[in-house]
Amino acid sequence: YLNVEIKATNTNISKTVSKKLILENKTLKKAQSKSTFKNDFSSAYQQKSFQQDIAHKKESFFSIHGRLRRKNYLLRLLLLSMISLISTVIPEILENENLVIFSVITILICAILIAIQAIKRLHDLNKSGWWYLFILVPFVNIVFAFYIIFAPGTEGTNIYGLDSKKN
């Protein structure tokens, strides 16, 4: 069990926190009394709580949190690449110098969004988002890009969230 010391200037907050801790402790005791494997239960209870916390968070296109499957990553990569390509071609076709600024801004935004999607894909592989910096290393970046696209994701829950196949 976890011993918690509550120091609060507002007694209403400390009462609320105390009640919540007591309720969670009672729930844990009830579940442990029903379980024959008491040692395994605590980790299952923690995993269930973790899954419930993650379930409340919605996956966002603009957030680096969460996991992204291969198929969804590839679709998003193609979409953002097409947007970048179109924004590059339009100023050339229309021969308008003013659209070049729009094109550069669009390409930068797409590059940032591709990086966000790659970080989520790395989370699906149970890797930190910092691994994305390998994209800056010549020749390694090619192998790394294929790894992100074709490597199967972690089955089940990992430290970055629920299994993306089950969501």
Side-chain angles (χ1 to χ4, degrees), residues 7 11 29-30 39 43-44 49 66 70 94 107 111 123 134 137 139 141 145 152 160-161:
K7 292 182 181 180
T11 55
K29 283 182 181 177
K30 282 182 187 177
N39 292 338
S43 64
S49 296
R70 284 183 282 191
L94 298 177
I107 291 169
H123 288 173
F134 279 121
V137 181
F139 301 112
N141 57 4
Y160 298 104

Side-chain angles (χ1 to χ4, degrees), residues 32-51:
Q32 280 182 336
S33 65
K34 292 179 183 178
S35 175
T36 56
F37 301 102
K38 292 185 179 183
N39 292 338
D40 292 339
F41 178 76
S42 61
S43 64
Y45 177 77
Q46 290 170 350
Q47 184 177 7
K48 186 176 179 185
S49 296
F50 174 73
Q51 289 175 348

